PDB file of all heavy atoms in Angstrom:
ATOM      1  N   SER A  19      88.579 146.871  76.971  1.00 97.00           N
ATOM      2  CA  SER A  19      88.326 145.545  77.501  1.00 97.00           C
ATOM      3  C   SER A  19      89.619 144.864  77.852  1.00 97.00           C
ATOM      4  O   SER A  19      89.600 143.808  78.562  1.00 97.00           O
ATOM      5  CB  SER A  19      87.597 144.689  76.417  1.00 97.00           C
ATOM      6  OG  SER A  19      88.247 144.633  75.234  1.00 97.00           O
ATOM      7  N   VAL A  20      90.831 145.316  77.389  1.00 98.00           N
ATOM      8  CA  VAL A  20      92.034 144.670  77.642  1.00 98.00           C
ATOM      9  C   VAL A  20      92.974 145.480  78.434  1.00 98.00           C
ATOM     10  O   VAL A  20      94.086 145.025  78.887  1.00 98.00           O
ATOM     11  CB  VAL A  20      92.695 144.236  76.379  1.00 98.00           C
ATOM     12  CG1 VAL A  20      91.797 143.387  75.527  1.00 98.00           C
ATOM     13  CG2 VAL A  20      93.271 145.413  75.548  1.00 98.00           C
ATOM     14  N   LYS A  21      92.639 146.692  78.823  1.00 98.00           N
ATOM     15  CA  LYS A  21      93.433 147.612  79.609  1.00 98.00           C
ATOM     16  C   LYS A  21      93.836 146.963  80.944  1.00 98.00           C
ATOM     17  O   LYS A  21      92.912 146.419  81.631  1.00 98.00           O
ATOM     18  CB  LYS A  21      92.833 148.995  79.808  1.00 98.00           C
ATOM     19  CG  LYS A  21      92.820 149.836  78.533  1.00 98.00           C
ATOM     20  CD  LYS A  21      92.193 151.204  78.878  1.00 98.00           C
ATOM     21  CE  LYS A  21      92.273 152.084  77.581  1.00 98.00           C
ATOM     22  NZ  LYS A  21      91.578 153.409  77.896  1.00 98.00           N
ATOM     23  N   GLY A  22      95.035 147.001  81.349  1.00 98.00           N
ATOM     24  CA  GLY A  22      95.475 146.376  82.606  1.00 98.00           C
ATOM     25  C   GLY A  22      95.846 144.965  82.508  1.00 98.00           C
ATOM     26  O   GLY A  22      96.397 144.383  83.445  1.00 98.00           O
ATOM     27  N   ARG A  23      95.473 144.313  81.358  1.00 98.00           N
ATOM     28  CA  ARG A  23      95.726 142.891  81.206  1.00 98.00           C
ATOM     29  C   ARG A  23      96.675 142.635  80.021  1.00 98.00           C
ATOM     30  O   ARG A  23      97.515 141.695  80.145  1.00 98.00           O
ATOM     31  CB  ARG A  23      94.398 142.126  80.936  1.00 98.00           C
ATOM     32  CG  ARG A  23      93.383 142.195  82.068  1.00 98.00           C
ATOM     33  CD  ARG A  23      92.252 141.275  81.906  1.00 98.00           C
ATOM     34  NE  ARG A  23      91.502 141.546  80.656  1.00 98.00           N
ATOM     35  CZ  ARG A  23      91.322 140.760  79.611  1.00 98.00           C
ATOM     36  NH1 ARG A  23      91.910 139.526  79.652  1.00 98.00           N
ATOM     37  NH2 ARG A  23      90.629 141.116  78.574  1.00 98.00           N
ATOM     38  N   PHE A  24      96.608 143.433  79.014  1.00 98.00           N
ATOM     39  CA  PHE A  24      97.458 143.223  77.800  1.00 98.00           C
ATOM     40  C   PHE A  24      98.553 144.353  77.667  1.00 98.00           C
ATOM     41  O   PHE A  24      98.281 145.495  78.091  1.00 98.00           O
ATOM     42  CB  PHE A  24      96.597 143.249  76.503  1.00 98.00           C
ATOM     43  CG  PHE A  24      95.686 142.080  76.344  1.00 98.00           C
ATOM     44  CD1 PHE A  24      95.424 141.122  77.321  1.00 98.00           C
ATOM     45  CD2 PHE A  24      95.053 141.863  75.147  1.00 98.00           C
ATOM     46  CE1 PHE A  24      94.595 140.066  77.177  1.00 98.00           C
ATOM     47  CE2 PHE A  24      94.210 140.787  74.962  1.00 98.00           C
ATOM     48  CZ  PHE A  24      93.969 139.925  75.927  1.00 98.00           C
ATOM     49  N   THR A  25      99.652 143.977  77.156  1.00 98.00           N
ATOM     50  CA  THR A  25     100.655 144.957  76.913  1.00 98.00           C
ATOM     51  C   THR A  25     101.296 144.734  75.563  1.00 98.00           C
ATOM     52  O   THR A  25     101.671 143.621  75.174  1.00 98.00           O
ATOM     53  CB  THR A  25     101.802 144.761  77.953  1.00 98.00           C
ATOM     54  OG1 THR A  25     101.330 144.957  79.341  1.00 98.00           O
ATOM     55  CG2 THR A  25     102.872 145.885  77.741  1.00 98.00           C
ATOM     56  N   ILE A  26     101.340 145.794  74.822  1.00 98.00           N
ATOM     57  CA  ILE A  26     101.891 145.705  73.435  1.00 98.00           C
ATOM     58  C   ILE A  26     103.308 146.343  73.507  1.00 98.00           C
ATOM     59  O   ILE A  26     103.539 147.341  74.231  1.00 98.00           O
ATOM     60  CB  ILE A  26     101.066 146.397  72.434  1.00 98.00           C
ATOM     61  CG1 ILE A  26     101.531 146.193  70.979  1.00 98.00           C
ATOM     62  CG2 ILE A  26     100.903 147.974  72.691  1.00 98.00           C
ATOM     63  CD1 ILE A  26     100.669 146.743  69.915  1.00 98.00           C
ATOM     64  N   SER A  27     104.179 145.737  72.767  1.00 98.00           N
ATOM     65  CA  SER A  27     105.527 146.260  72.725  1.00 98.00           C
ATOM     66  C   SER A  27     106.157 145.967  71.343  1.00 98.00           C
ATOM     67  O   SER A  27     105.594 145.121  70.586  1.00 98.00           O
ATOM     68  CB  SER A  27     106.461 145.676  73.817  1.00 98.00           C
ATOM     69  OG  SER A  27     106.540 144.239  73.721  1.00 98.00           O
ATOM     70  N   ARG A  28     107.307 146.546  71.079  1.00 97.00           N
ATOM     71  CA  ARG A  28     107.935 146.278  69.773  1.00 97.00           C
ATOM     72  C   ARG A  28     109.386 146.268  69.825  1.00 97.00           C
ATOM     73  O   ARG A  28     109.926 147.033  70.702  1.00 97.00           O
ATOM     74  CB  ARG A  28     107.389 147.329  68.666  1.00 97.00           C
ATOM     75  CG  ARG A  28     107.795 148.763  68.983  1.00 97.00           C
ATOM     76  CD  ARG A  28     107.103 149.710  68.044  1.00 97.00           C
ATOM     77  NE  ARG A  28     107.655 149.638  66.690  1.00 97.00           N
ATOM     78  CZ  ARG A  28     107.028 150.289  65.634  1.00 97.00           C
ATOM     79  NH1 ARG A  28     105.957 150.960  65.824  1.00 97.00           N
ATOM     80  NH2 ARG A  28     107.533 150.158  64.399  1.00 97.00           N
ATOM     81  N   ASP A  29     110.083 145.589  68.972  1.00 96.00           N
ATOM     82  CA  ASP A  29     111.586 145.552  68.850  1.00 96.00           C
ATOM     83  C   ASP A  29     111.836 145.969  67.501  1.00 96.00           C
ATOM     84  O   ASP A  29     111.667 145.204  66.545  1.00 96.00           O
ATOM     85  CB  ASP A  29     112.053 144.144  69.175  1.00 96.00           C
ATOM     86  CG  ASP A  29     113.576 144.113  69.222  1.00 96.00           C
ATOM     87  OD1 ASP A  29     114.217 144.961  68.553  1.00 96.00           O
ATOM     88  OD2 ASP A  29     114.147 143.263  69.885  1.00 96.00           O
ATOM     89  N   ASN A  30     112.170 147.225  67.336  1.00 94.00           N
ATOM     90  CA  ASN A  30     112.431 147.770  65.957  1.00 94.00           C
ATOM     91  C   ASN A  30     113.587 147.111  65.245  1.00 94.00           C
ATOM     92  O   ASN A  30     113.572 147.008  63.982  1.00 94.00           O
ATOM     93  CB  ASN A  30     112.680 149.298  66.038  1.00 94.00           C
ATOM     94  CG  ASN A  30     111.418 150.004  66.509  1.00 94.00           C
ATOM     95  OD1 ASN A  30     110.292 149.618  66.182  1.00 94.00           O
ATOM     96  ND2 ASN A  30     111.615 151.180  67.158  1.00 94.00           N
ATOM     97  N   ALA A  31     114.583 146.646  66.001  1.00 94.00           N
ATOM     98  CA  ALA A  31     115.705 145.997  65.344  1.00 94.00           C
ATOM     99  C   ALA A  31     115.323 144.652  64.745  1.00 94.00           C
ATOM    100  O   ALA A  31     115.957 144.197  63.805  1.00 94.00           O
ATOM    101  CB  ALA A  31     116.842 145.803  66.358  1.00 94.00           C
ATOM    102  N   LYS A  32     114.271 144.081  65.270  1.00 96.00           N
ATOM    103  CA  LYS A  32     113.828 142.757  64.785  1.00 96.00           C
ATOM    104  C   LYS A  32     112.539 142.885  63.890  1.00 96.00           C
ATOM    105  O   LYS A  32     112.020 141.902  63.466  1.00 96.00           O
ATOM    106  CB  LYS A  32     113.535 141.840  65.965  1.00 96.00           C
ATOM    107  CG  LYS A  32     114.750 141.439  66.824  1.00 96.00           C
ATOM    108  CD  LYS A  32     114.395 140.548  67.948  1.00 96.00           C
ATOM    109  CE  LYS A  32     115.643 140.187  68.778  1.00 96.00           C
ATOM    110  NZ  LYS A  32     115.316 139.262  69.827  1.00 96.00           N
ATOM    111  N   ASN A  33     112.076 144.065  63.743  1.00 96.00           N
ATOM    112  CA  ASN A  33     110.808 144.331  62.972  1.00 96.00           C
ATOM    113  C   ASN A  33     109.673 143.461  63.586  1.00 96.00           C
ATOM    114  O   ASN A  33     108.889 142.806  62.797  1.00 96.00           O
ATOM    115  CB  ASN A  33     111.026 144.009  61.531  1.00 96.00           C
ATOM    116  CG  ASN A  33     111.978 145.033  60.852  1.00 96.00           C
ATOM    117  OD1 ASN A  33     112.017 146.212  61.230  1.00 96.00           O
ATOM    118  ND2 ASN A  33     112.669 144.559  59.842  1.00 96.00           N
ATOM    119  N   THR A  34     109.534 143.450  64.898  1.00 97.00           N
ATOM    120  CA  THR A  34     108.657 142.540  65.544  1.00 97.00           C
ATOM    121  C   THR A  34     107.789 143.297  66.525  1.00 97.00           C
ATOM    122  O   THR A  34     108.308 144.185  67.257  1.00 97.00           O
ATOM    123  CB  THR A  34     109.455 141.385  66.253  1.00 97.00           C
ATOM    124  OG1 THR A  34     110.128 140.606  65.253  1.00 97.00           O
ATOM    125  CG2 THR A  34     108.438 140.499  66.966  1.00 97.00           C
ATOM    126  N   VAL A  35     106.581 142.978  66.629  1.00 98.00           N
ATOM    127  CA  VAL A  35     105.590 143.479  67.593  1.00 98.00           C
ATOM    128  C   VAL A  35     105.069 142.335  68.469  1.00 98.00           C
ATOM    129  O   VAL A  35     104.807 141.230  67.914  1.00 98.00           O
ATOM    130  CB  VAL A  35     104.529 144.308  66.975  1.00 98.00           C
ATOM    131  CG1 VAL A  35     103.704 143.423  66.067  1.00 98.00           C
ATOM    132  CG2 VAL A  35     103.703 144.990  68.020  1.00 98.00           C
ATOM    133  N   TYR A  36     104.888 142.555  69.727  1.00 98.00           N
ATOM    134  CA  TYR A  36     104.492 141.543  70.653  1.00 98.00           C
ATOM    135  C   TYR A  36     103.168 141.959  71.327  1.00 98.00           C
ATOM    136  O   TYR A  36     102.899 143.178  71.476  1.00 98.00           O
ATOM    137  CB  TYR A  36     105.488 141.236  71.754  1.00 98.00           C
ATOM    138  CG  TYR A  36     106.909 140.999  71.230  1.00 98.00           C
ATOM    139  CD1 TYR A  36     107.802 141.987  71.018  1.00 98.00           C
ATOM    140  CD2 TYR A  36     107.252 139.669  70.946  1.00 98.00           C
ATOM    141  CE1 TYR A  36     109.108 141.706  70.573  1.00 98.00           C
ATOM    142  CE2 TYR A  36     108.519 139.346  70.465  1.00 98.00           C
ATOM    143  CZ  TYR A  36     109.426 140.336  70.270  1.00 98.00           C
ATOM    144  OH  TYR A  36     110.698 140.114  69.861  1.00 98.00           O
ATOM    145  N   LEU A  37     102.434 141.002  71.749  1.00 98.00           N
ATOM    146  CA  LEU A  37     101.237 141.234  72.656  1.00 98.00           C
ATOM    147  C   LEU A  37     101.303 140.257  73.805  1.00 98.00           C
ATOM    148  O   LEU A  37     101.093 139.064  73.578  1.00 98.00           O
ATOM    149  CB  LEU A  37      99.969 141.103  71.790  1.00 98.00           C
ATOM    150  CG  LEU A  37      98.638 141.518  72.637  1.00 98.00           C
ATOM    151  CD1 LEU A  37      98.650 142.988  72.904  1.00 98.00           C
ATOM    152  CD2 LEU A  37      97.428 141.118  71.875  1.00 98.00           C
ATOM    153  N   GLN A  38     101.618 140.780  74.976  1.00 98.00           N
ATOM    154  CA  GLN A  38     101.563 139.959  76.181  1.00 98.00           C
ATOM    155  C   GLN A  38     100.184 140.039  76.757  1.00 98.00           C
ATOM    156  O   GLN A  38      99.631 141.114  77.074  1.00 98.00           O
ATOM    157  CB  GLN A  38     102.607 140.510  77.195  1.00 98.00           C
ATOM    158  CG  GLN A  38     102.590 139.769  78.508  1.00 98.00           C
ATOM    159  CD  GLN A  38     103.105 138.331  78.405  1.00 98.00           C
ATOM    160  OE1 GLN A  38     104.114 138.157  77.718  1.00 98.00           O
ATOM    161  NE2 GLN A  38     102.349 137.413  78.974  1.00 98.00           N
ATOM    162  N   MET A  39      99.553 138.872  76.858  1.00 98.00           N
ATOM    163  CA  MET A  39      98.209 138.775  77.308  1.00 98.00           C
ATOM    164  C   MET A  39      98.185 138.036  78.645  1.00 98.00           C
ATOM    165  O   MET A  39      98.522 136.920  78.780  1.00 98.00           O
ATOM    166  CB  MET A  39      97.307 138.058  76.314  1.00 98.00           C
ATOM    167  CG  MET A  39      97.266 138.750  75.000  1.00 98.00           C
ATOM    168  SD  MET A  39      96.282 137.823  73.701  1.00 98.00           S
ATOM    169  CE  MET A  39      97.377 136.447  73.319  1.00 98.00           C
ATOM    170  N   ASN A  40      97.676 138.704  79.707  1.00 98.00           N
ATOM    171  CA  ASN A  40      97.552 138.200  81.039  1.00 98.00           C
ATOM    172  C   ASN A  40      96.155 138.134  81.431  1.00 98.00           C
ATOM    173  O   ASN A  40      95.239 138.831  80.972  1.00 98.00           O
ATOM    174  CB  ASN A  40      98.405 138.981  82.041  1.00 98.00           C
ATOM    175  CG  ASN A  40      99.872 138.957  81.691  1.00 98.00           C
ATOM    176  OD1 ASN A  40     100.468 138.005  81.227  1.00 98.00           O
ATOM    177  ND2 ASN A  40     100.519 140.085  81.997  1.00 98.00           N
ATOM    178  N   SER A  41      95.850 137.301  82.518  1.00 98.00           N
ATOM    179  CA  SER A  41      94.539 137.248  83.090  1.00 98.00           C
ATOM    180  C   SER A  41      93.482 137.000  81.967  1.00 98.00           C
ATOM    181  O   SER A  41      92.440 137.649  81.930  1.00 98.00           O
ATOM    182  CB  SER A  41      94.156 138.472  83.865  1.00 98.00           C
ATOM    183  OG  SER A  41      95.125 138.677  84.961  1.00 98.00           O
ATOM    184  N   LEU A  42      93.789 136.051  81.099  1.00 98.00           N
ATOM    185  CA  LEU A  42      92.901 135.775  79.954  1.00 98.00           C
ATOM    186  C   LEU A  42      91.497 135.318  80.416  1.00 98.00           C
ATOM    187  O   LEU A  42      91.400 134.514  81.334  1.00 98.00           O
ATOM    188  CB  LEU A  42      93.549 134.799  79.029  1.00 98.00           C
ATOM    189  CG  LEU A  42      94.718 135.329  78.197  1.00 98.00           C
ATOM    190  CD1 LEU A  42      95.565 134.267  77.649  1.00 98.00           C
ATOM    191  CD2 LEU A  42      94.137 136.230  77.035  1.00 98.00           C
ATOM    192  N   ILE A  43      90.510 135.694  79.677  1.00 97.00           N
ATOM    193  CA  ILE A  43      89.128 135.323  79.937  1.00 97.00           C
ATOM    194  C   ILE A  43      88.531 134.727  78.600  1.00 97.00           C
ATOM    195  O   ILE A  43      89.093 135.011  77.546  1.00 97.00           O
ATOM    196  CB  ILE A  43      88.284 136.545  80.373  1.00 97.00           C
ATOM    197  CG1 ILE A  43      88.293 137.657  79.359  1.00 97.00           C
ATOM    198  CG2 ILE A  43      88.819 136.991  81.792  1.00 97.00           C
ATOM    199  CD1 ILE A  43      87.461 138.840  79.768  1.00 97.00           C
ATOM    200  N   PRO A  44      87.503 133.972  78.682  1.00 97.00           N
ATOM    201  CA  PRO A  44      86.951 133.368  77.488  1.00 97.00           C
ATOM    202  C   PRO A  44      86.557 134.370  76.390  1.00 97.00           C
ATOM    203  O   PRO A  44      86.634 133.998  75.187  1.00 97.00           O
ATOM    204  CB  PRO A  44      85.688 132.646  78.035  1.00 97.00           C
ATOM    205  CG  PRO A  44      86.074 132.226  79.455  1.00 97.00           C
ATOM    206  CD  PRO A  44      86.885 133.459  79.912  1.00 97.00           C
ATOM    207  N   GLU A  45      86.196 135.597  76.830  1.00 96.00           N
ATOM    208  CA  GLU A  45      85.843 136.555  75.824  1.00 96.00           C
ATOM    209  C   GLU A  45      87.023 137.039  75.011  1.00 96.00           C
ATOM    210  O   GLU A  45      86.835 137.712  73.923  1.00 96.00           O
ATOM    211  CB  GLU A  45      85.218 137.781  76.533  1.00 96.00           C
ATOM    212  CG  GLU A  45      83.778 137.566  77.138  1.00 96.00           C
ATOM    213  CD  GLU A  45      83.822 136.755  78.356  1.00 96.00           C
ATOM    214  OE1 GLU A  45      84.906 136.541  78.939  1.00 96.00           O
ATOM    215  OE2 GLU A  45      82.743 136.265  78.785  1.00 96.00           O
ATOM    216  N   ASP A  46      88.197 136.674  75.385  1.00 97.00           N
ATOM    217  CA  ASP A  46      89.413 137.036  74.568  1.00 97.00           C
ATOM    218  C   ASP A  46      89.603 136.025  73.416  1.00 97.00           C
ATOM    219  O   ASP A  46      90.461 136.339  72.554  1.00 97.00           O
ATOM    220  CB  ASP A  46      90.659 137.012  75.450  1.00 97.00           C
ATOM    221  CG  ASP A  46      90.685 138.108  76.538  1.00 97.00           C
ATOM    222  OD1 ASP A  46      90.252 139.236  76.175  1.00 97.00           O
ATOM    223  OD2 ASP A  46      91.186 137.837  77.609  1.00 97.00           O
ATOM    224  N   THR A  47      88.847 134.968  73.393  1.00 97.00           N
ATOM    225  CA  THR A  47      88.947 134.040  72.298  1.00 97.00           C
ATOM    226  C   THR A  47      88.666 134.621  70.961  1.00 97.00           C
ATOM    227  O   THR A  47      87.580 135.225  70.800  1.00 97.00           O
ATOM    228  CB  THR A  47      87.984 132.819  72.578  1.00 97.00           C
ATOM    229  OG1 THR A  47      88.359 132.105  73.760  1.00 97.00           O
ATOM    230  CG2 THR A  47      88.039 131.835  71.400  1.00 97.00           C
TER     231      THR A  47
END
């Protein structure tokens, strides 16, 4: 349901993971 719209990434030096969410739809709530 999120392929092509969301991107997960991580910064190991910061112990941080990110989720970039584009083209958001109400179903993502």
Side-chain angles (χ1 to χ4, degrees):
S19 59
V20 307
K21 286 182 178 178
R23 299 189 297 118
F24 290 11
T25 302
I26 188 171
S27 61
R28 64 191 289 171
D29 186 334
N30 292 329
K32 297 180 179 179
N33 294 327
T34 298
V35 62
Y36 306 92
L37 186 67
Q38 178 67 47
M39 300 179 286
N40 299 325
S41 301
L42 285 162
I43 58 177
E45 289 76 13
D46 295 321
T47 297

